[in-house]
Amino acid sequence: MRFTTPAIIVALRPHGEHGAIVRLMTPDHGLQAAYVRGARGRQLRPVLMPGNQVEATLSARTEAQLAQGTIELVHSRGPLLQEPLPAAAIDWIAALTATVLPEGQPYPRLYQALDGLLAAIEAAPSASGWGAALVRYELLLLAELGFGLDLEKCAVSGANDELIAVSPRSGRAVSAAEAEPYAGKLLPLPRFVIEGGTANWPEILEGLALTGHFLLRDLVTDRSAPIAESRIRLFERLRKAAGQA
Protein backbone atom coordinates (compact mmCIF):
# COMPACT_ATOMS: atom_id res chain seq x y z
CA MET A 1 0.00 0.00 0.00
CA ARG A 2 1.33 3.39 -0.99
CA PHE A 3 -0.45 6.62 -1.85
CA THR A 4 -0.04 10.37 -1.63
CA THR A 5 -3.00 12.50 -0.62
CA PRO A 6 -4.02 15.90 0.68
CA ALA A 7 -4.97 15.62 4.33
CA ILE A 8 -5.91 17.51 7.48
CA ILE A 9 -4.14 16.73 10.74
CA VAL A 10 -6.69 15.73 13.39
CA ALA A 11 -4.66 13.99 16.11
CA LEU A 12 -1.13 13.29 17.28
CA ARG A 13 0.02 10.76 19.87
CA PRO A 14 3.71 10.40 20.87
CA HIS A 15 5.18 6.99 20.04
CA GLY A 16 8.70 5.96 20.83
CA GLU A 17 11.47 8.40 21.63
CA HIS A 18 11.07 10.83 18.74
CA GLY A 19 8.11 9.71 16.64
CA ALA A 20 4.35 9.94 16.82
CA ILE A 21 1.23 8.29 15.46
CA VAL A 22 -0.55 10.92 13.42
CA ARG A 23 -4.19 10.71 12.40
CA LEU A 24 -5.16 12.37 9.15
CA MET A 25 -8.51 13.10 7.54
CA THR A 26 -8.23 12.50 3.78
CA PRO A 27 -10.74 13.05 0.97
CA ASP A 28 -10.61 9.58 -0.63
CA HIS A 29 -9.24 7.30 2.09
CA GLY A 30 -11.08 8.63 5.13
CA LEU A 31 -9.34 8.67 8.48
CA GLN A 32 -5.80 7.31 8.27
CA ALA A 33 -3.20 6.65 10.96
CA ALA A 34 0.53 6.67 10.27
CA TYR A 35 3.78 6.59 12.19
CA VAL A 36 5.86 9.68 11.47
CA ARG A 37 9.56 9.62 12.36
CA GLY A 38 10.92 12.74 14.00
CA ALA A 39 7.40 14.04 14.64
CA ARG A 40 8.47 15.75 17.86
CA GLY A 41 11.52 17.40 16.37
CA ARG A 42 11.85 21.11 15.67
CA GLN A 43 11.18 20.70 11.97
CA LEU A 44 7.97 18.67 12.12
CA ARG A 45 6.45 19.90 15.37
CA PRO A 46 4.85 23.02 13.81
CA VAL A 47 3.68 20.94 10.84
CA LEU A 48 1.86 18.26 12.81
CA MET A 49 -0.69 20.51 14.49
CA PRO A 50 -4.46 19.89 14.45
CA GLY A 51 -6.15 21.78 11.64
CA ASN A 52 -3.08 22.04 9.40
CA GLN A 53 -3.46 21.13 5.74
CA VAL A 54 -0.70 18.82 4.57
CA GLU A 55 0.32 16.47 1.80
CA ALA A 56 0.90 12.99 3.16
CA THR A 57 2.58 9.99 1.62
CA LEU A 58 1.60 6.78 3.41
CA SER A 59 3.11 3.36 2.80
CA ALA A 60 2.80 -0.08 4.39
CA ARG A 61 3.67 -3.62 3.37
CA THR A 62 0.18 -4.86 4.18
CA GLU A 63 -3.17 -3.20 4.86
CA ALA A 64 -3.07 -4.51 8.44
CA GLN A 65 0.27 -2.85 9.17
CA LEU A 66 0.51 0.67 10.58
CA ALA A 67 1.58 2.90 7.72
CA GLN A 68 4.76 4.94 7.69
CA GLY A 69 4.08 8.57 6.88
CA THR A 70 5.94 11.43 5.27
CA ILE A 71 4.23 14.77 5.84
CA GLU A 72 4.72 18.09 4.07
CA LEU A 73 2.98 21.29 5.13
CA VAL A 74 0.58 22.90 2.67
CA HIS A 75 -1.11 25.47 4.90
CA SER A 76 -0.60 26.18 8.59
CA ARG A 77 -3.35 27.20 10.96
CA GLY A 78 -0.94 27.40 13.87
CA PRO A 79 -1.59 31.13 14.48
CA LEU A 80 -5.25 30.33 15.23
CA LEU A 81 -4.18 28.18 18.16
CA GLN A 82 -3.03 31.34 19.93
CA GLU A 83 -6.61 32.65 20.00
CA PRO A 84 -8.89 31.09 22.66
CA LEU A 85 -12.10 30.61 20.65
CA PRO A 86 -10.58 29.38 17.37
CA ALA A 87 -8.21 27.15 19.35
CA ALA A 88 -11.11 25.63 21.31
CA ALA A 89 -13.07 25.05 18.11
CA ILE A 90 -10.17 23.37 16.31
CA ASP A 91 -9.39 21.27 19.37
CA TRP A 92 -12.98 20.02 19.46
CA ILE A 93 -13.60 19.33 15.79
CA ALA A 94 -10.22 17.63 15.36
CA ALA A 95 -10.75 15.43 18.44
CA LEU A 96 -14.31 14.60 17.37
CA THR A 97 -13.26 13.65 13.85
CA ALA A 98 -10.31 11.56 15.03
CA THR A 99 -12.34 9.78 17.71
CA VAL A 100 -15.67 8.83 16.20
CA LEU A 101 -14.85 8.01 12.57
CA PRO A 102 -13.83 4.46 11.66
CA GLU A 103 -10.44 4.30 9.99
CA GLY A 104 -10.11 3.68 6.29
CA GLN A 105 -13.68 4.49 5.25
CA PRO A 106 -13.98 7.41 2.83
CA TYR A 107 -16.17 10.34 3.82
CA PRO A 108 -15.55 12.88 1.04
CA ARG A 109 -18.41 15.14 2.13
CA LEU A 110 -17.05 15.26 5.68
CA TYR A 111 -13.57 16.08 4.41
CA GLN A 112 -14.89 18.98 2.33
CA ALA A 113 -17.04 20.21 5.23
CA LEU A 114 -14.11 20.02 7.66
CA ASP A 115 -11.89 21.91 5.23
CA GLY A 116 -14.60 24.54 4.77
CA LEU A 117 -15.18 24.89 8.50
CA LEU A 118 -11.48 25.40 9.19
CA ALA A 119 -11.33 28.00 6.40
CA ALA A 120 -14.34 29.79 7.92
CA ILE A 121 -12.72 29.85 11.36
CA GLU A 122 -9.60 31.31 9.79
CA ALA A 123 -11.41 33.94 7.72
CA ALA A 124 -14.14 35.18 10.07
CA PRO A 125 -13.33 38.13 12.33
CA SER A 126 -15.41 36.65 15.15
CA ALA A 127 -16.92 33.32 16.17
CA SER A 128 -20.36 34.47 15.02
CA GLY A 129 -19.00 34.13 11.49
CA TRP A 130 -18.22 30.41 11.77
CA GLY A 131 -20.68 29.18 14.40
CA ALA A 132 -23.26 28.13 11.81
CA ALA A 133 -20.62 26.17 9.88
CA LEU A 134 -19.72 24.31 13.06
CA VAL A 135 -23.37 23.32 13.60
CA ARG A 136 -23.63 22.11 9.98
CA TYR A 137 -20.45 20.05 10.31
CA GLU A 138 -21.74 18.35 13.44
CA LEU A 139 -25.11 17.64 11.77
CA LEU A 140 -23.34 16.16 8.74
CA LEU A 141 -21.11 13.99 10.91
CA LEU A 142 -24.16 12.64 12.74
CA ALA A 143 -25.84 11.87 9.42
CA GLU A 144 -22.76 10.21 7.89
CA LEU A 145 -22.47 7.88 10.88
CA GLY A 146 -26.13 6.87 10.82
CA PHE A 147 -27.50 9.20 13.50
CA GLY A 148 -28.90 11.92 11.26
CA LEU A 149 -31.81 14.05 12.41
CA ASP A 150 -35.10 13.93 10.51
CA LEU A 151 -35.84 17.58 9.82
CA GLU A 152 -37.93 17.22 6.66
CA LYS A 153 -41.40 17.19 8.22
CA CYS A 154 -43.24 17.25 11.52
CA ALA A 155 -43.10 13.96 13.41
CA VAL A 156 -46.73 14.40 14.53
CA SER A 157 -48.64 16.03 11.68
CA GLY A 158 -46.41 15.31 8.69
CA ALA A 159 -46.44 19.03 7.74
CA ASN A 160 -43.24 20.50 6.38
CA ASP A 161 -43.76 24.13 7.39
CA GLU A 162 -43.21 26.06 10.63
CA LEU A 163 -40.80 23.46 11.98
CA ILE A 164 -39.44 25.00 15.18
CA ALA A 165 -38.32 22.16 17.46
CA VAL A 166 -36.79 18.68 17.59
CA SER A 167 -37.69 15.76 19.81
CA PRO A 168 -34.67 15.01 22.04
CA ARG A 169 -35.62 11.35 21.96
CA SER A 170 -36.32 10.64 18.29
CA GLY A 171 -34.40 13.43 16.57
CA ARG A 172 -37.46 14.30 14.48
CA ALA A 173 -38.72 17.82 13.80
CA VAL A 174 -41.92 19.19 15.33
CA SER A 175 -44.06 22.04 13.96
CA ALA A 176 -45.07 25.10 15.95
CA ALA A 177 -48.65 23.92 16.42
CA GLU A 178 -47.66 20.47 17.64
CA ALA A 179 -44.79 21.73 19.80
CA GLU A 180 -46.92 24.02 21.95
CA PRO A 181 -48.13 21.37 24.45
CA TYR A 182 -44.52 20.24 24.98
CA ALA A 183 -42.97 23.63 25.68
CA GLY A 184 -39.70 23.22 27.53
CA LYS A 185 -39.32 19.55 26.64
CA LEU A 186 -38.21 19.95 23.02
CA LEU A 187 -34.95 21.22 21.56
CA PRO A 188 -35.23 24.48 19.57
CA LEU A 189 -34.65 24.14 15.83
CA PRO A 190 -33.03 27.33 14.53
CA ARG A 191 -34.16 28.51 11.13
CA PHE A 192 -30.71 28.46 9.48
CA VAL A 193 -30.44 24.69 9.99
CA ILE A 194 -33.31 24.17 7.55
CA GLU A 195 -33.06 27.24 5.33
CA GLY A 196 -29.28 27.72 5.24
CA GLY A 197 -27.63 31.12 5.27
CA THR A 198 -26.15 33.01 8.18
CA ALA A 199 -27.16 32.84 11.83
CA ASN A 200 -27.17 35.23 14.77
CA TRP A 201 -25.77 34.39 18.19
CA PRO A 202 -29.03 33.01 19.71
CA GLU A 203 -29.52 30.76 16.68
CA ILE A 204 -25.92 29.52 16.81
CA LEU A 205 -26.24 28.62 20.48
CA GLU A 206 -29.55 26.85 19.82
CA GLY A 207 -27.94 24.93 16.96
CA LEU A 208 -25.01 23.86 19.11
CA ALA A 209 -27.34 22.79 21.92
CA LEU A 210 -29.24 20.70 19.36
CA THR A 211 -26.22 18.95 17.85
CA GLY A 212 -24.51 18.66 21.23
CA HIS A 213 -27.43 16.69 22.67
CA PHE A 214 -27.22 14.00 19.98
CA LEU A 215 -23.43 13.94 19.72
CA LEU A 216 -23.01 13.37 23.43
CA ARG A 217 -25.84 10.83 23.51
CA ASP A 218 -25.02 8.78 20.42
CA LEU A 219 -21.35 9.23 19.48
CA VAL A 220 -19.23 10.62 22.29
CA THR A 221 -19.74 7.73 24.69
CA ASP A 222 -17.75 5.11 26.59
CA ARG A 223 -14.06 5.34 25.62
CA SER A 224 -14.58 8.57 23.67
CA ALA A 225 -16.35 10.31 26.56
CA PRO A 226 -13.27 12.32 27.68
CA ILE A 227 -13.45 14.50 24.55
CA ALA A 228 -16.88 15.71 25.71
CA GLU A 229 -15.03 18.15 27.95
CA SER A 230 -13.71 19.91 24.84
CA ARG A 231 -17.26 20.34 23.51
CA ILE A 232 -18.58 21.63 26.83
CA ARG A 233 -15.68 24.05 27.15
CA LEU A 234 -16.20 25.35 23.61
CA PHE A 235 -19.93 25.86 24.15
CA GLU A 236 -19.32 27.84 27.35
CA ARG A 237 -16.77 30.07 25.62
CA LEU A 238 -19.15 30.72 22.75
CA ARG A 239 -21.98 31.51 25.14
CA LYS A 240 -19.71 33.98 26.92
CA ALA A 241 -18.73 35.57 23.62
CA ALA A 242 -22.40 35.88 22.69
CA GLY A 243 -23.09 37.68 25.94
CA GLN A 244 -20.32 40.18 25.21
CA ALA A 245 -21.41 40.83 21.63
Side-chain angles (χ1 to χ4, degrees), residues 121-139:
I121 293 173
E122 189 171 22
S126 73
S128 61
W130 49 260
L134 174 58
V135 173
R136 293 189 185 103
Y137 180 73
E138 293 181 342
L139 284 169

Side-chain angles (χ1 to χ4, degrees), residues 34-187:
Y35 175 76
V36 178
R37 298 180 186 276
R40 288 181 282 167
R42 290 171 55 187
Q43 185 175 357
L44 282 178
R45 203 179 322 164
V47 174
L48 302 176
M49 301 177 71
N52 278 359
Q53 290 177 300
V54 299
E55 182 175 271
T57 299
L58 307 184
S59 60
R61 293 182 179 178
T62 67
E63 291 187 0
Q65 183 183 43
L66 178 65
Q68 301 286 314
T70 301
I71 311 292
E72 294 185 7
L73 182 65
V74 174
H75 179 68
S76 174
R77 295 193 170 96
L80 292 176
L81 301 181
Q82 307 303 315
E83 303 177 31
L85 266 177
I90 292 174
D91 179 58
W92 161 245
I93 59 177
L96 176 66
T97 303
T99 301
V100 303
L101 291 185
E103 290 190 5
Q105 294 189 24
Y107 293 96
R109 293 176 64 205
L110 270 180
Y111 176 85
Q112 294 298 330
L114 177 60
D115 187 43
L117 172 55
L118 289 166
I121 293 173
E122 189 171 22
S126 73
S128 61
W130 49 260
L134 174 58
V135 173
R136 293 189 185 103
Y137 180 73
E138 293 181 342
L139 284 169
L140 177 61
L141 189 145
L142 283 163
E144 292 283 279
L145 292 179
F147 296 96
L149 307 188
D150 183 356
L151 307 178
E152 295 294 323
K153 59 184 179 180
C154 176
V156 180
S157 67
N160 60 3
D161 58 345
E162 293 190 37
L163 301 176
I164 66 163
V166 175
S167 165
R169 183 175 180 180
S170 68
R172 300 180 65 186
V174 182
S175 68
E178 302 296 341
E180 189 174 351
Y182 304 98
K185 296 182 180 180
L186 301 175
L187 297 166

